[in-house]
Amino acid sequence: MIDEILKVNPLHPAHHFRIHLWDGSNAANALGSAALCGESAPMIAHMWHMPGHTYDKLKRYAEAAWQQEASSRADHAYMMHDRVLPDQIHNYAHNQEWLIRNLSNIGRAKDAVALAKNLLELPRHPKYNLVTRSGKSANYGRVRLFELLERYELWDETIQLADTMYLEPTDAAAEQVKRLRLIGLAYAGKDDTKKLAQTIALLKKLPAKSKPAGEQPKGKGGKGGLPGLDAFAARDNAIKELQMLEKLISDDPTSALGDIKAIKNVSPATQIRYYHDAGDLAKAELLAKQASDSAKGQVAPLAVYVEMLHANEKTKECAEAFERLRKISGSIDSLETPVFKRLAPVAAELKLPADWRVPTKFPSDFGKRPSLDSIGPLVWQPTAAPMWSLSDADGRPLSAKDYAGKPTLVIFYLGYGCPHCIEQLRKFTEQQKSFADAGISIVAISTDAADALKRALNGDGLKIPFPVASDPKHVVFQQFRAYDDFEQQPLHGTFLIDAKGMVRWHDIGYEPFMETAFVLNEAKRLLALQN
């Protein structure tokens, strides 16, 4: 039936359905639709995303990454046009984290790290995006960043990021263990025994015993901990691992061999490195082969296998594996990344060029594609706040120009007849000094006409310490999209505008945003990212 439809209209969006039909059984049957699905509805991010399923199932990670980047760009174009925060989009965070995984698979380590960091930079919201909420941008960004730093042994970057928001400590015990373990790996990778010992000491200061039954936090693999271990068992496991690393970088690394076997939940690449450094080259090669076989099409595991074959002086097998690596090497963004840098002497012995990468060529069945830039921007960016001009209760002009060059919080509320709005104004009034101390001005815009606003402000009720403008015709409400076009009525809105006039954060809805401490802390975080 789909064939009949496509004979009439080759770009019918039925391509999307065909991809779903074959996604779980024989993805190759959907290759024709994967090549055309995005262009059949190019403004819909999901239509670019779905072909990524096909290419991913077929281990064609470069094509999968292209699709997910196209999806990402389509989402960004829509969000920036319609003033929507990233995590208000269904599937956005999943698409981004999948893109990061595929960038990692093809060796674009720098790009993958940059994108993971971008997910941590995006605006956060108690409903839509928190580090502690699984499946959200901030959570995915942290999980993927940890994976990338370890997989590609980016120890300098790890140490640099350790005291930043990207690897910041959290209140979760499992996350604390995970963070300190990674930092310990970095210091061990740099042979910094002093800092490694200090990190072990910090781990030992974490709680050593489990909480009473029913209160014990669990650390799951994708959520910050180690699969199958609670936070406290993970802590002890991490201590054993880092203590083992102390032996590995000592004068007698073979003494660490017994300890390696006792350590749980170590990634294959890390375990291979441990056995290699401890002198058990045969075990390292065996594990590297297993890892490479189970991750076909991925450059990092294959690069490690090449290195292990070379360490075991298996010249023929090493050369064959290196040729397989070269065939999928075109996207590797830096041969200075440790995983690839260690192959330089191997390439020299095999008489390969110093830059042994082979340019990527997409197969003909990938079809002709538009430029990625034509779909949308690579990352979400804040958009310019509308310029507005109103009057206050006394008829004095009040406009966006009055706040030019300084961060401002703009609160849209539904007049003095809305008790929830008055409660919101009361909360922000109580926090006005804290915002001022942070260099943030506050201005409110009401649906009240000037006379009603004047009566409200001059009454015996709440004394508002910041300016309030009147917008009874909802002109500025609509400019900021704090308006329900279907119901033809204004909505509550809270907007953070930076010194350059860009909207860095907002909340729009049928209920006013009440979490003043959250928005203050988030404002400080977002504004600091500009510096």
Side-chain angles (χ1 to χ4, degrees):
M1 185 182 293
I2 292 175
D3 282 340
E4 293 300 312
I5 292 171
L6 297 178
K7 284 179 184 177
V8 178
N9 179 4
L11 285 179
H12 193 283
H15 287 298
H16 170 259
F17 186 53
R18 171 172 278 166
I19 292 171
H20 273 289
L21 281 175
W22 295 109
D23 190 37
S25 55
N26 189 351
N29 285 352
L31 279 170
S33 286
L36 296 171
C37 185
E39 288 188 88
S40 71
M43 295 180 69
I44 298 177
H46 191 65
M47 297 295 276
W48 294 109
H49 171 89
M50 277 309 301
H53 282 249
T54 301
Y55 298 121
D56 197 85
K57 291 286 175 63
L58 298 173
K59 313 299 183 186
R60 292 170 55 169
Y61 297 118
E63 291 99 310
W66 193 98
Q67 293 296 155
Q68 284 138 6
E69 182 174 334
S71 175
S72 173
R73 288 173 179 268
D75 260 339
H76 293 147
Y78 160 63
M79 289 186 291
M80 292 167 64
H81 180 272
D82 281 13
R83 301 179 183 275
V84 177
L85 292 182
D87 281 81
Q88 290 181 276
I89 297 293
H90 174 67
N91 221 42
Y92 175 78
H94 164 57
N95 186 85
Q96 295 298 96
E97 67 86 16
W98 201 358
L99 172 56
I100 292 169
R101 278 188 281 142
N102 276 325
L103 292 177
S104 176
N105 290 343
I106 61 177
R108 288 174 59 182
K110 288 185 176 180
D111 292 337
V113 167
L115 193 56
K117 290 170 66 177
N118 176 253
L119 290 186
L120 286 161
E121 294 165 353
L122 292 175
R124 299 179 188 176
H125 190 287
K127 288 183 180 178
Y128 311 123
N129 182 27
L130 292 174
V131 171
T132 54
R133 290 190 65 184
S134 179
K136 304 303 180 183
S137 289
N139 180 270
Y140 270 135
R142 186 175 172 99
V143 169
R144 296 290 168 247
L145 183 59
F146 273 83
E147 292 173 351
L148 288 162
L149 293 173
E150 181 174 350
R151 184 182 206 188
Y152 284 99
E153 301 171 38
L154 302 176
W155 307 137
D156 288 330
E157 289 88 340
T158 300
I159 294 168
Q160 179 185 358
L161 296 175
D163 294 321
T164 70
M165 58 158 278
Y166 301 104
L167 295 181
E168 63 186 345
T170 74
D171 293 332
E175 279 292 315
Q176 279 287 66
V177 172
K178 181 181 174 184
R179 174 180 176 272
L180 288 173
R181 173 188 174 270
L182 180 66
I183 293 170
L185 295 185
Y187 286 133
K190 301 296 292 182
D191 290 339
D192 191 335
T193 54
K194 181 179 178 181
K195 291 291 183 65
L196 175 57
Q198 291 174 353
T199 306
I200 293 172
L202 289 174
L203 274 166
K204 288 181 176 179
K205 290 181 180 179
L206 295 179
K209 294 182 179 180
S210 300
K211 293 181 179 180
E215 298 181 22
Q216 193 169 356
K218 296 291 183 181
K220 301 301 182 183
K223 300 179 182 179
L226 297 173
L229 298 179
D230 65 38
F232 307 102
R235 161 199 175 272
D236 294 338
N237 192 66
I239 291 171
K240 290 178 183 178
E241 184 177 5
L242 298 187
Q243 287 174 334
M244 180 275 298
L245 283 171
E246 288 184 309
K247 294 181 181 180
L248 269 186
I249 58 180
S250 68
D251 294 332
D252 185 21
T254 56
S255 64
L257 273 174
D259 297 336
I260 295 173
K261 298 176 183 178
I263 299 168
K264 301 176 182 178
N265 299 79
V266 178
S267 71
T270 300
Q271 192 176 41
I272 292 163
R273 178 60 43 201
Y274 290 166
Y275 278 106
H276 173 275
D277 293 350
D280 191 342
L281 301 184
K283 180 71 170 180
E285 180 194 329
L286 175 63
L287 293 175
K289 184 180 188 308
Q290 292 172 352
S292 177
D293 288 347
S294 66
K296 292 187 183 300
Q298 299 181 29
V299 295
L302 187 50
V304 173
Y305 184 42
V306 170
E307 182 187 359
M308 295 306 117
L309 287 170
H310 180 261
N312 281 282
E313 300 181 349
K314 295 186 177 181
T315 306
K316 180 183 176 182
E317 295 91 333
C318 179
E320 292 172 350
F322 211 140
E323 279 307 305
R324 295 199 302 274
L325 175 61
R326 294 188 73 200
K327 289 179 181 179
I328 58 173
S329 65
S331 297
I332 295 174
D333 55 18
S334 175
L335 294 183
E336 291 300 305
T337 301
V339 171
F340 306 118
K341 188 174 184 177
R342 288 194 293 268
L343 297 187
V346 185
E349 286 185 26
L350 296 174
K351 294 182 170 44
L352 298 175
D355 187 346
W356 43 263
R357 294 170 292 187
V358 176
T360 298
K361 292 183 179 179
F362 290 142
S364 59
D365 63 8
F366 192 59
K368 294 182 179 179
R369 301 302 178 95
S371 70
L372 287 167
D373 285 339
S374 70
I375 298 173
L378 178 59
V379 296
W380 178 87
Q381 300 167 13
T383 51
M387 295 301 294
W388 56 273
S389 181
L390 297 167
S391 299
D392 66 12
D394 295 318
R396 293 184 296 249
L398 192 63
S399 73
K401 292 181 180 180
D402 297 324
Y403 300 92
K406 51 190 174 184
T408 308
L409 196 72
V410 183
I411 300 171
F412 290 84
Y413 74 99
L414 309 187
Y416 243 71
C418 171
H420 295 293
C421 295
I422 301 309
E423 179 61 22
Q424 181 195 34
L425 292 177
R426 188 183 309 279
K427 287 178 177 289
F428 278 98
T429 291
E430 292 169 354
Q431 292 292 324
Q432 190 269 341
K433 185 179 184 303
S434 297
F435 279 92
D437 291 342
I440 303 170
S441 301
I442 300 178
V443 60
I445 298 177
S446 172
T447 56
D448 284 328
D451 55 346
L453 181 60
K454 190 171 185 177
R455 288 196 301 272
L457 295 177
N458 290 336
D460 296 328
L462 176 67
K463 300 298 182 183
I464 300 176
F466 41 83
V468 182
S470 170
D471 185 22
K473 296 183 178 180
H474 314 146
V475 174
V476 182
F477 274 80
Q478 293 181 66
Q479 287 178 329
F480 276 79
R481 298 181 67 86
Y483 194 81
D484 186 328
D485 292 315
F486 183 79
E487 297 288 348
Q488 295 288 296
Q489 60 179 319
L491 297 171
H492 306 87
T494 306
F495 296 80
L496 173 68
I497 302 171
D498 67 20
K500 296 180 180 178
M502 311 299 285
V503 178
R504 301 300 300 268
W505 183 94
H506 71 255
D507 176 87
I508 302 172
Y510 289 96
E511 296 291 336
F513 190 81
M514 299 288 195
E515 298 186 39
T516 56
F518 178 92
V519 74
L520 176 60
N521 290 331
E522 180 64 359
K524 291 178 180 178
R525 187 185 74 87
L526 291 172
L527 295 174
L529 288 172
Q530 293 179 299
N531 300 328

